[in-house]
Structures are given as structure tokens and as C-alpha cells.
Amino acid sequence: MGKYRNTAFQTIYGSGMMDGESDFLPIIADGDDKDLKNVEVPSVLPILPLRNTVLFPGVVLPITVGRERSLKLIRDVNQGSKLLGTIAQKDYTVDKPEAGDLYEIGTVAEIMKVLEMPDGSTSVIIQGKRRFRINEIVSEEPYFKASVEPLSDITSKDDNEFNAIVGSLKDLSIKVAQFSANVPPEATFAVKNIENSTFLINFICSNTDINVEDKQKLLEIESLKDRGVQAISFLVKEVQMLELKQDIQKKVKTDMDKQQREFMLNQQMKTIQDELGGNPVEQEINGLKEKAKEKKWNKDVDEFFHREVEKLGRLNPAAGEYSVQFTFCQTLLDLPWNEYTKDNFDLKHASKVLDEDHYGLEKVKERMLEHLAVLKLKNDMKAPILCLYGPPGVGKTSLGKSVARALGRKYARMSLGGLHDESEIRGHRKTYIGAMPGRIIQNIKKSKSSNPVFILDEIDKVSKHFHGDPASALLEVLDPEQNGEFHDNYIEHDYDLSKVMFIATANSLSTIAPPLRDRLELIEVSGYLLEEKVEIAKRHLIPKQLENHGLKKSDITFPKDIIELIIDGYTRESGVRELDKKLAKLIRRVAKKIAFEESYNKKLTKADVREYLGVTEYSKEKYQGNEFAGVVTGLAWTAVGGEILFVETSLSKGKGALTLTGNLGDVMKESAMLAHEYLKSHADELDLKPEVFEKWNVHVHVPEGAIPKDGPSAGVTMVTSLASAFTQRKVKKNLAMTGEITLRGKVLPVGGIKEKILAAKRAGITEIILSEQNKKNLEDIKEAYIKGLKFHFVNTIMDVLDIALLKAKVDKPMKIE
């Protein structure tokens, strides 16, 4: 190791970052460069990535090491040969560099000293020895190791040209140090006193204030003379820049307050930009105007935009208002004014797309095809606002994508669940900090089309708040007579939404504000039959989950009876969302077996389902018989579809008290009281003595007491249960009923007929009692849904009791008198 001066100096032209975030201090080294050429480089070197700096041969650097793998490398090398390879990272922000993040050529370094600093960090002093090239990374753990090829610098004889290059480098370095107030005086002393030309050139290259990429280019130059020439070009540019800055400072030198100082800085920036070839602010504004020429907007919007751009040109670029105004102008440009996609009027193609994506849902598909047909014939129609409502998981949201694909339109979706701020719809005025357009305009901008299919998801879950009523803001969006001039507070100009095809989705219509509901064309999307769910699973869900989990069709087969078992035993829903989750869980278990190379049945069996999914979670709803008087089967509607429920009535001697249990809501309790009072007033028609109501306590219970129940549709079930208990006449086998009752004995219609019929069919019911006014509801139900069912349509409670109660009393009747 040659002679080294003991003097250490700070960086001449700035500081760089190494492994950690701390600055480093190059140390001046001088001596005989033959020692560097004669360094024996091992065939395999540990590689230390450098951040934001390049080590040159002969240069000594103290570095702060922060990364764990680098600390490991330093400790290992310090205990061994003390030689390592240093390579600069292409991007210093990468914390865990890979092989591709490093340059090919670096410098062999020797560890001179390892220092444990007071703050707990580790500093290492290394000296560059000789350049090398990486041939191949042979190991990445616990740190990089690479097979390397040593490289030698081509030195020049001390001829006049080489001496002139060295002299120029010295002079330029000193000049830079004189111009820059940040360079300490010791730096000039250091440059003047380095006697070895090789060390001088490498020292200046290492400390020139240029980026890592340019320093790497200097390191890769083999000829020392050429490296010096290239370094001179960088220094000349720096000197010229420093002189230009000095000239500008002389021109604007004065006693300045804050505003004058800002003006001076802008003037400096403008002068520099003019020297470099143009003002970027003017270029930005000109760029906006050029883009505006390509827009299809009308004359009003064009004038409005150019007024805003002129306002932008009058603002100070350093002021906060400039960025706000620039963002506003950019938003106006990004909106697709009068830009429409062409609709695909091939109705056969549209029908095929809808059938491919969704099984069933005939009414919805028919409505979409009607809309296409009208567009095709008229070629101009304000898009109606459709609202698909029904239980979760039946495909309401995904229908929007299918409609967009069938029409050839862009697709946009906005979730309204929990939305309570009106500005989410209409946007904020741009004078507010952080202002932005409303989500309607944002989605139009994202779709890059003014006629997308726009899904307003969960419109029934919009809520009021002190920030405003979003439902009221949606009135303008969803009114075909108004949305041609939709006003967004941020845009401050009307935007045409009349060509947008809005499709809203909801689980329940009851929570939608009446004015909003009035603007929607309601289309019910009801639950699926078991057979339909099987087809959906086979056509859509199973192929999707196989693809998601990396399995092939040949890896697993789902027989029809197994799919039915999963639907009946592990799901309780109208849609197929839960079914999709169960199929995913089952396929994951199979994927695990394949990955572990375990044997399994490719054709699923019931035992496999039990192993993968556990015991069945639900028992199939079944009719429980009519062994006891007072037990009646009713039909109910829930958010996940229809269900059957049982109403039980028992009598005990007492004073005529009526007790209701089963977590009943107010309306259901009133139905029971109504039924009780009706029987009291019509006791003669049922061959009952009026006194019995005063001698017997009545207890009405609806099982599954933990589940809340409410609604008027159990009225006929309540009255039949009470009548059966008091008359001790059993209820007809396999019979269920639904309907509201009045005190006059009328049976009124109820909703959810399709769901209730599906529930009855699942439970094995064969006869159903409905109100006469519900007869029309059967017209919209497929024949397959009602096949095998017998319907009784009634007008009065007595009609219900005549059909439901058997003539003969129970075998051992309770004595009621």
C-alpha cells in the first residue's frame, strides 16, 4: 500500500449518499499509482452497492453503512481479505437492489478502517484500487457475489497535451471552489497539493457535482487522458453556469423584501430558461391551447376554456393559485366533451352477449334489447334511467358490464353505499383547497366517453347528512329532462349527461326517496331457482374459480348432485355470492392437495364435500306436518329470498290473555291481535261459544325467536292458527299461505310472491293460499316456477278457513268450552 497523506478534506462539489442516508467525506490520497495497477483482484468478489456516488481508483471514502446485508458484507470482508467490489446503483432510491439495478463496471476497494459511531451507526473507510467488470452474479444471499474481470487504466506519458489536461482540471476545480460559497478553503489546498496525475483526475471526477450516470460514464472510460478531457467538459459547463448565476445576481442586486426576493428568483429562473431554450410556463400554456384545438366541444365551452387559460397566463407561476388554475384547465381538457362511442345495433350479438354473461334474468335482458331496438330505429333517444332491484348476489351490478359489452360502450361504476355528502355528486367549487369534480364527472373523465354505461350501485343506501342530501343531488343526474345540462360546482359549466345510460341497483325500494324513485324505471331481479343456480355454477362460477386458482377442468369434476348439495347444505341466499365463496373454498382445498402431491378424488363425492367444507350449515326447509291443531305454515319474504315459517298456537286455562313470542315486530303483533278479535266477533260461524275466549289464555309463537320478523303478510297464517287451536281442527296437509287481513275479514294482497313460491316449492308444499288480487302476480312468473303447485285465491278469511281447516277434529281433542 503506497504512501498516503494524513490530511482529510470535505467534498469539493457537494456530498453524496451511500448505504445509509448520511453524507460522506472523501479523503485525499496521494502516492504511486503502480500500487493500484499491481493489485491482485480475486476471481470472485463480494459486491457492495453504492447509493448516489461512484468510487474511483485511488480515492479514499468514509461511508456510512445502513443496510443489513451491507453490514454483513463489511464484517465478513474486514475479517478476511479486506477486498470488495463497489458498484453504483442505477437508481439510488431502490432500498433492496437486484442484479439488474447495478452497473457492470465498478471499482475494487480495500477496507482501511471500520468505525462504530456514537449514534450507533457503522462507518467504513475504503480506498479504490482498480476498476473491474462484472461477468456474472454468482450469489445474491447473504449479499451479492460476482465473478469479475480486472480492468486497467490506459495511462499516458507525461507529454505536453496530458500535462495541459491536468493543469486545466486543476484550474477549473479551483475556479469552481472560488465561485461556490459552499466549498471550504481546504478543498483548493487539496487540489493544489495532489502530485500524482492519476489520483488528481480520479479525485476530481469523484467530486465533480454531476449525476451518478455521468460519473459512471467517466469511470468506464479506459484512457486516463480521455477521462480527463470528459471531466473538463463537465467542469466548463459548471463554471459557465456559476458565472451566469453571478451575472444575474449582479443585475438584480438590491435591498429586497420577501416579494422582491421572489421576483428575483423568478427572474433568474426565466433567464436560465431562456438560455436553455424557452420558458416552461409559456410552453405549458401553449401546450394547453394546442390540445384544445383537438377537442370537439362547442363554441361556448371553447370560449370558456380560453378565458380560463388567459387567466392562467396572468398568474405568478410561484403562487398557489397557479397550480389550482392549471389543474382546472387540464381537467377541462381531459373531459370527453361531445365524444361518443358508436353503439353496436346488432341485436343478435347483444342477445348472445347477455346470454353468455348471465343465465336467466329474462325480463332484464328483454328490457335491454327493447332499448337497443328503439335506439336502432330512432337513432336518437334520451337514455332512460333503469333501476335493477332485488336481493344481493343475483347479478345486478355485473349486468351493467354485460350491457356495456353488448352496446359496445365504455363502462363506469360509482358506489353510493354510505354516501352522505352532496359535494361527492356535484363536486366542490375550485376556490376550496383540494377541490375536485364530483364523482359523476370523475367517472365520465375516466371512461373517456360521454355515453358510457354508468352503474349507480346501491342507490338505496344513500343517506342524509348535515353536508347536504346526495339523493336530492341525484335528481338532476337521473332526470332525462335535466341531465342534458348537469352542473358540477368544480367545472362551472353545464355538461351533457343525456346520452349516458344510467343503471341503478338497489336491494330494497323502501329506502329510496320517492322523488328519486319516480325518475327510475324499475326492473325486478328476483332470486334463482335451484336448477338455475346449478346452471350458473356450471357455466360461470366453477370455470372462473378454476382459472383463479390455476386448475384445469380435468383436475376436478363437479357432478350435478354435488352442486345441489353445496347449494342446499351450505348456502342460504337468493343470489349466488355465497355459493361462489363455497366453490372457491372447495377448489382451494383441491389446489392444496395437488400442490402437496396428495391423492384425491377428481370426481367430487359427498364425503369430499363434507371433508372440504365441514358439516352442512343449513338444513333444507321442509314442511313439518300437521299432527297438531294450531300449527300452520306461512310464507315470508327476506332480503335473501323467500322462506317458510310456522305459527304455533296453544291454549291454557286462564282469563283470556293473549301472549305473543318469537321476536315479532309491531305490525306482526297487530296482525295477531286482529286475528284474535276477528275470531271473537265470528265465533258463531266457527261453532264456538263466545265464553271460551274468556276462559282460555292464548299463546302464539313463531319459531326461531332470535330472528326479527315483521310485516302484515302473516295475517292469514295467524288467524288460521288461532282458529285451528280453538276449533281443534287440523290444518290441511302440505298447505302454506300468505296474505294481510282486515277487521272486516278481507284478505289483502302482499308482495314477494315469486320468492315465497320458490320457498314453498323447496319445502315440499303442494298448495298455496293467496289473495285474489295476487293472481295477477303469477302472470310474470315462469311456468317452471309454479309447476306442481295448486293455488287457492281467496277474498275473505272465511274462504281461507274453509280451505285450510279439515272438517274432522283431532283424534283426542282438548275439551274447550
Side-chain angles (χ1 to χ4, degrees), residues 360-370 388-389 399 521-526 754 777 779-782:
L361 307 178
E362 302 302 331
K363 186 192 291 188
V364 185
K365 294 177 186 176
E366 184 181 349
R367 178 63 190 87
M368 300 304 171
L369 293 174
E370 287 173 3
L388 309 177
Y389 70 95
L399 265 166
E521 182 176 332
L522 303 175
I523 300 176
E524 183 179 8
V525 185
S526 54
K754 179 181 176 182
N777 296 107
E779 296 175 5
D780 295 332
I781 300 176
K782 275 186 178 182

mmCIF file of all heavy atoms in Angstrom, residues 360-370 388-389 399 521-526 754 777 779-782:
data_model
loop_
_atom_site.group_PDB
_atom_site.id
_atom_site.type_symbol
_atom_site.label_atom_id
_atom_site.label_comp_id
_atom_site.label_asym_id
_atom_site.label_seq_id
_atom_site.Cartn_x
_atom_site.Cartn_y
_atom_site.Cartn_z
ATOM 1 N N GLY A 360 -80.577 -16.894 -17.083
ATOM 2 C CA GLY A 360 -81.862 -16.430 -16.560
ATOM 3 C C GLY A 360 -82.025 -14.938 -16.773
ATOM 4 O O GLY A 360 -81.582 -14.375 -17.779
ATOM 5 N N LEU A 361 -82.698 -14.254 -15.819
ATOM 6 C CA LEU A 361 -82.928 -12.805 -15.863
ATOM 7 C C LEU A 361 -83.555 -12.369 -17.188
ATOM 8 O O LEU A 361 -83.135 -11.385 -17.811
ATOM 9 C CB LEU A 361 -81.618 -12.046 -15.628
ATOM 10 C CG LEU A 361 -80.825 -12.412 -14.378
ATOM 11 C CD1 LEU A 361 -79.537 -11.614 -14.316
ATOM 12 C CD2 LEU A 361 -81.631 -12.196 -13.125
ATOM 13 N N GLU A 362 -84.550 -13.096 -17.623
ATOM 14 C CA GLU A 362 -85.136 -12.861 -18.951
ATOM 15 C C GLU A 362 -85.749 -11.470 -19.069
ATOM 16 O O GLU A 362 -85.638 -10.818 -20.110
ATOM 17 C CB GLU A 362 -86.195 -13.927 -19.255
ATOM 18 C CG GLU A 362 -85.667 -15.360 -19.209
ATOM 19 C CD GLU A 362 -84.514 -15.578 -20.177
ATOM 20 O OE1 GLU A 362 -84.469 -14.892 -21.211
ATOM 21 O OE2 GLU A 362 -83.644 -16.408 -19.883
ATOM 22 N N LYS A 363 -86.421 -10.999 -17.993
ATOM 23 C CA LYS A 363 -87.094 -9.703 -18.065
ATOM 24 C C LYS A 363 -86.085 -8.572 -18.272
ATOM 25 O O LYS A 363 -86.310 -7.655 -19.068
ATOM 26 C CB LYS A 363 -87.895 -9.460 -16.783
ATOM 27 C CG LYS A 363 -88.750 -8.193 -16.852
ATOM 28 C CD LYS A 363 -89.306 -7.807 -15.484
ATOM 29 C CE LYS A 363 -90.347 -8.783 -15.007
ATOM 30 N NZ LYS A 363 -91.010 -8.295 -13.761
ATOM 31 N N VAL A 364 -84.967 -8.645 -17.573
ATOM 32 C CA VAL A 364 -83.945 -7.610 -17.702
ATOM 33 C C VAL A 364 -83.343 -7.621 -19.105
ATOM 34 O O VAL A 364 -83.193 -6.581 -19.739
ATOM 35 C CB VAL A 364 -82.829 -7.830 -16.658
ATOM 36 C CG1 VAL A 364 -81.820 -6.703 -16.705
ATOM 37 C CG2 VAL A 364 -83.414 -7.950 -15.272
ATOM 38 N N LYS A 365 -83.020 -8.805 -19.591
ATOM 39 C CA LYS A 365 -82.434 -8.904 -20.936
ATOM 40 C C LYS A 365 -83.411 -8.366 -21.989
ATOM 41 O O LYS A 365 -83.016 -7.669 -22.933
ATOM 42 C CB LYS A 365 -82.088 -10.360 -21.239
ATOM 43 C CG LYS A 365 -80.992 -10.942 -20.371
ATOM 44 C CD LYS A 365 -80.798 -12.413 -20.709
ATOM 45 C CE LYS A 365 -79.813 -13.085 -19.773
ATOM 46 N NZ LYS A 365 -79.698 -14.523 -20.041
ATOM 47 N N GLU A 366 -84.687 -8.700 -21.805
ATOM 48 C CA GLU A 366 -85.699 -8.237 -22.764
ATOM 49 C C GLU A 366 -85.757 -6.713 -22.772
ATOM 50 O O GLU A 366 -85.866 -6.089 -23.828
ATOM 51 C CB GLU A 366 -87.058 -8.825 -22.376
ATOM 52 C CG GLU A 366 -88.161 -8.481 -23.365
ATOM 53 C CD GLU A 366 -89.506 -9.068 -22.934
ATOM 54 O OE1 GLU A 366 -89.530 -9.898 -22.002
ATOM 55 O OE2 GLU A 366 -90.510 -8.675 -23.526
ATOM 56 N N ARG A 367 -85.670 -6.093 -21.575
ATOM 57 C CA ARG A 367 -85.724 -4.626 -21.498
ATOM 58 C C ARG A 367 -84.509 -3.999 -22.171
ATOM 59 O O ARG A 367 -84.632 -2.979 -22.859
ATOM 60 C CB ARG A 367 -85.785 -4.213 -20.020
ATOM 61 C CG ARG A 367 -85.803 -2.687 -19.821
ATOM 62 C CD ARG A 367 -87.059 -2.081 -20.451
ATOM 63 N NE ARG A 367 -86.997 -0.639 -20.496
ATOM 64 C CZ ARG A 367 -86.435 0.068 -21.475
ATOM 65 N NH1 ARG A 367 -85.854 -0.556 -22.507
ATOM 66 N NH2 ARG A 367 -86.439 1.380 -21.442
ATOM 67 N N MET A 368 -83.346 -4.597 -22.020
ATOM 68 C CA MET A 368 -82.146 -4.067 -22.672
ATOM 69 C C MET A 368 -82.257 -4.161 -24.195
ATOM 70 O O MET A 368 -81.885 -3.241 -24.920
ATOM 71 C CB MET A 368 -80.903 -4.844 -22.198
ATOM 72 C CG MET A 368 -80.651 -4.784 -20.709
ATOM 73 S SD MET A 368 -80.515 -3.098 -20.131
ATOM 74 C CE MET A 368 -80.494 -3.369 -18.358
ATOM 75 N N LEU A 369 -82.771 -5.275 -24.658
ATOM 76 C CA LEU A 369 -82.926 -5.439 -26.107
ATOM 77 C C LEU A 369 -83.974 -4.470 -26.660
ATOM 78 O O LEU A 369 -83.836 -3.976 -27.783
ATOM 79 C CB LEU A 369 -83.308 -6.885 -26.430
ATOM 80 C CG LEU A 369 -82.208 -7.923 -26.143
ATOM 81 C CD1 LEU A 369 -82.739 -9.332 -26.356
ATOM 82 C CD2 LEU A 369 -80.996 -7.687 -27.030
ATOM 83 N N GLU A 370 -85.016 -4.177 -25.862
ATOM 84 C CA GLU A 370 -86.006 -3.171 -26.284
ATOM 85 C C GLU A 370 -85.333 -1.816 -26.443
ATOM 86 O O GLU A 370 -85.591 -1.092 -27.413
ATOM 87 C CB GLU A 370 -87.122 -3.073 -25.240
ATOM 88 C CG GLU A 370 -88.082 -4.252 -25.225
ATOM 89 C CD GLU A 370 -89.051 -4.159 -24.052
ATOM 90 O OE1 GLU A 370 -88.998 -3.154 -23.317
ATOM 91 O OE2 GLU A 370 -89.842 -5.098 -23.873
ATOM 92 N N LEU A 388 -82.356 -1.698 -11.322
ATOM 93 C CA LEU A 388 -82.474 -3.129 -11.074
ATOM 94 C C LEU A 388 -82.525 -3.339 -9.563
ATOM 95 O O LEU A 388 -81.604 -2.946 -8.855
ATOM 96 C CB LEU A 388 -81.280 -3.878 -11.657
ATOM 97 C CG LEU A 388 -80.945 -3.581 -13.122
ATOM 98 C CD1 LEU A 388 -79.688 -4.335 -13.533
ATOM 99 C CD2 LEU A 388 -82.100 -3.948 -14.026
ATOM 100 N N TYR A 389 -83.617 -3.912 -9.075
ATOM 101 C CA TYR A 389 -83.708 -4.129 -7.633
ATOM 102 C C TYR A 389 -83.994 -5.589 -7.342
ATOM 103 O O TYR A 389 -84.666 -6.279 -8.100
ATOM 104 C CB TYR A 389 -84.798 -3.230 -7.016
ATOM 105 C CG TYR A 389 -86.219 -3.602 -7.371
ATOM 106 C CD1 TYR A 389 -86.979 -4.409 -6.529
ATOM 107 C CD2 TYR A 389 -86.814 -3.133 -8.541
ATOM 108 C CE1 TYR A 389 -88.282 -4.749 -6.853
ATOM 109 C CE2 TYR A 389 -88.107 -3.472 -8.868
ATOM 110 C CZ TYR A 389 -88.842 -4.277 -8.020
ATOM 111 O OH TYR A 389 -90.134 -4.618 -8.341
ATOM 112 N N LEU A 399 -74.552 -7.073 -14.449
ATOM 113 C CA LEU A 399 -75.362 -6.870 -15.652
ATOM 114 C C LEU A 399 -74.928 -5.613 -16.399
ATOM 115 O O LEU A 399 -74.995 -5.559 -17.624
ATOM 116 C CB LEU A 399 -76.845 -6.755 -15.279
ATOM 117 C CG LEU A 399 -77.666 -8.041 -15.359
ATOM 118 C CD1 LEU A 399 -78.993 -7.872 -14.656
ATOM 119 C CD2 LEU A 399 -77.884 -8.450 -16.795
ATOM 120 N N GLU A 521 -86.949 3.708 -13.867
ATOM 121 C CA GLU A 521 -87.757 2.630 -14.445
ATOM 122 C C GLU A 521 -87.349 1.343 -13.726
ATOM 123 O O GLU A 521 -86.237 0.848 -13.890
ATOM 124 C CB GLU A 521 -87.488 2.518 -15.944
ATOM 125 C CG GLU A 521 -88.330 1.440 -16.599
ATOM 126 C CD GLU A 521 -88.143 1.387 -18.103
ATOM 127 O OE1 GLU A 521 -87.814 2.436 -18.696
ATOM 128 O OE2 GLU A 521 -88.325 0.304 -18.675
ATOM 129 N N LEU A 522 -88.260 0.830 -12.913
ATOM 130 C CA LEU A 522 -87.935 -0.269 -12.009
ATOM 131 C C LEU A 522 -88.030 -1.622 -12.709
ATOM 132 O O LEU A 522 -89.028 -1.918 -13.358
ATOM 133 C CB LEU A 522 -88.869 -0.238 -10.794
ATOM 134 C CG LEU A 522 -88.865 1.075 -10.000
ATOM 135 C CD1 LEU A 522 -89.912 1.030 -8.896
ATOM 136 C CD2 LEU A 522 -87.494 1.333 -9.400
ATOM 137 N N ILE A 523 -86.980 -2.409 -12.554
ATOM 138 C CA ILE A 523 -86.968 -3.772 -13.095
ATOM 139 C C ILE A 523 -86.548 -4.707 -11.974
ATOM 140 O O ILE A 523 -85.458 -4.570 -11.413
ATOM 141 C CB ILE A 523 -85.978 -3.907 -14.277
ATOM 142 C CG1 ILE A 523 -86.369 -2.956 -15.410
ATOM 143 C CG2 ILE A 523 -85.933 -5.341 -14.775
ATOM 144 C CD1 ILE A 523 -85.400 -2.952 -16.559
ATOM 145 N N GLU A 524 -87.407 -5.651 -11.632
ATOM 146 C CA GLU A 524 -87.104 -6.560 -10.536
ATOM 147 C C GLU A 524 -86.181 -7.680 -11.011
ATOM 148 O O GLU A 524 -86.406 -8.297 -12.045
ATOM 149 C CB GLU A 524 -88.391 -7.161 -9.970
ATOM 150 C CG GLU A 524 -88.158 -8.061 -8.768
ATOM 151 C CD GLU A 524 -89.435 -8.636 -8.198
ATOM 152 O OE1 GLU A 524 -90.501 -8.455 -8.821
ATOM 153 O OE2 GLU A 524 -89.374 -9.281 -7.138
ATOM 154 N N VAL A 525 -85.144 -7.908 -10.234
ATOM 155 C CA VAL A 525 -84.234 -9.028 -10.491
ATOM 156 C C VAL A 525 -84.405 -9.979 -9.310
ATOM 157 O O VAL A 525 -83.866 -9.760 -8.240
ATOM 158 C CB VAL A 525 -82.765 -8.569 -10.603
ATOM 159 C CG1 VAL A 525 -81.874 -9.728 -10.989
ATOM 160 C CG2 VAL A 525 -82.639 -7.439 -11.603
ATOM 161 N N SER A 526 -85.200 -11.015 -9.522
ATOM 162 C CA SER A 526 -85.552 -11.898 -8.405
ATOM 163 C C SER A 526 -84.498 -12.991 -8.233
ATOM 164 O O SER A 526 -83.558 -13.115 -9.010
ATOM 165 C CB SER A 526 -86.921 -12.525 -8.644
ATOM 166 O OG SER A 526 -86.953 -13.168 -9.894
ATOM 167 N N LYS A 754 -93.089 -14.214 -5.862
ATOM 168 C CA LYS A 754 -92.206 -15.175 -6.528
ATOM 169 C C LYS A 754 -91.274 -15.842 -5.513
ATOM 170 O O LYS A 754 -91.118 -17.071 -5.512
ATOM 171 C CB LYS A 754 -91.381 -14.479 -7.607
ATOM 172 C CG LYS A 754 -90.432 -15.428 -8.321
ATOM 173 C CD LYS A 754 -89.612 -14.712 -9.375
ATOM 174 C CE LYS A 754 -88.604 -15.652 -10.016
ATOM 175 N NZ LYS A 754 -87.749 -14.999 -11.007
ATOM 176 N N ASN A 777 -100.001 -11.534 -10.151
ATOM 177 C CA ASN A 777 -98.547 -11.701 -9.981
ATOM 178 C C ASN A 777 -98.027 -12.986 -10.595
ATOM 179 O O ASN A 777 -96.845 -13.099 -10.933
ATOM 180 C CB ASN A 777 -98.175 -11.666 -8.500
ATOM 181 C CG ASN A 777 -98.478 -10.327 -7.861
ATOM 182 O OD1 ASN A 777 -99.416 -10.205 -7.083
ATOM 183 N ND2 ASN A 777 -97.723 -9.306 -8.220
ATOM 184 N N GLU A 779 -98.739 -14.134 -13.448
ATOM 185 C CA GLU A 779 -98.553 -13.997 -14.894
ATOM 186 C C GLU A 779 -97.089 -13.723 -15.251
ATOM 187 O O GLU A 779 -96.633 -14.056 -16.339
ATOM 188 C CB GLU A 779 -99.440 -12.863 -15.426
ATOM 189 C CG GLU A 779 -100.934 -13.143 -15.256
ATOM 190 C CD GLU A 779 -101.785 -11.943 -15.684
ATOM 191 O OE1 GLU A 779 -101.189 -10.970 -16.178
ATOM 192 O OE2 GLU A 779 -103.005 -12.000 -15.507
ATOM 193 N N ASP A 780 -96.349 -13.074 -14.316
ATOM 194 C CA ASP A 780 -94.950 -12.731 -14.592
ATOM 195 C C ASP A 780 -93.975 -13.823 -14.167
ATOM 196 O O ASP A 780 -92.762 -13.661 -14.285
ATOM 197 C CB ASP A 780 -94.573 -11.427 -13.860
ATOM 198 C CG ASP A 780 -95.354 -10.238 -14.389
ATOM 199 O OD1 ASP A 780 -95.732 -10.279 -15.570
ATOM 200 O OD2 ASP A 780 -95.590 -9.292 -13.618
ATOM 201 N N ILE A 781 -94.512 -14.938 -13.647
ATOM 202 C CA ILE A 781 -93.640 -15.998 -13.140
ATOM 203 C C ILE A 781 -93.574 -17.128 -14.158
ATOM 204 O O ILE A 781 -94.588 -17.527 -14.733
ATOM 205 C CB ILE A 781 -94.163 -16.524 -11.786
ATOM 206 C CG1 ILE A 781 -94.207 -15.381 -10.762
ATOM 207 C CG2 ILE A 781 -93.280 -17.641 -11.260
ATOM 208 C CD1 ILE A 781 -94.800 -15.772 -9.435
ATOM 209 N N LYS A 782 -92.379 -17.632 -14.374
ATOM 210 C CA LYS A 782 -92.200 -18.729 -15.338
ATOM 211 C C LYS A 782 -93.035 -19.941 -14.941
ATOM 212 O O LYS A 782 -93.262 -20.208 -13.762
ATOM 213 C CB LYS A 782 -90.726 -19.139 -15.368
ATOM 214 C CG LYS A 782 -89.863 -18.321 -16.280
ATOM 215 C CD LYS A 782 -88.485 -18.971 -16.292
ATOM 216 C CE LYS A 782 -87.573 -18.232 -17.236
ATOM 217 N NZ LYS A 782 -86.263 -18.880 -17.286
#
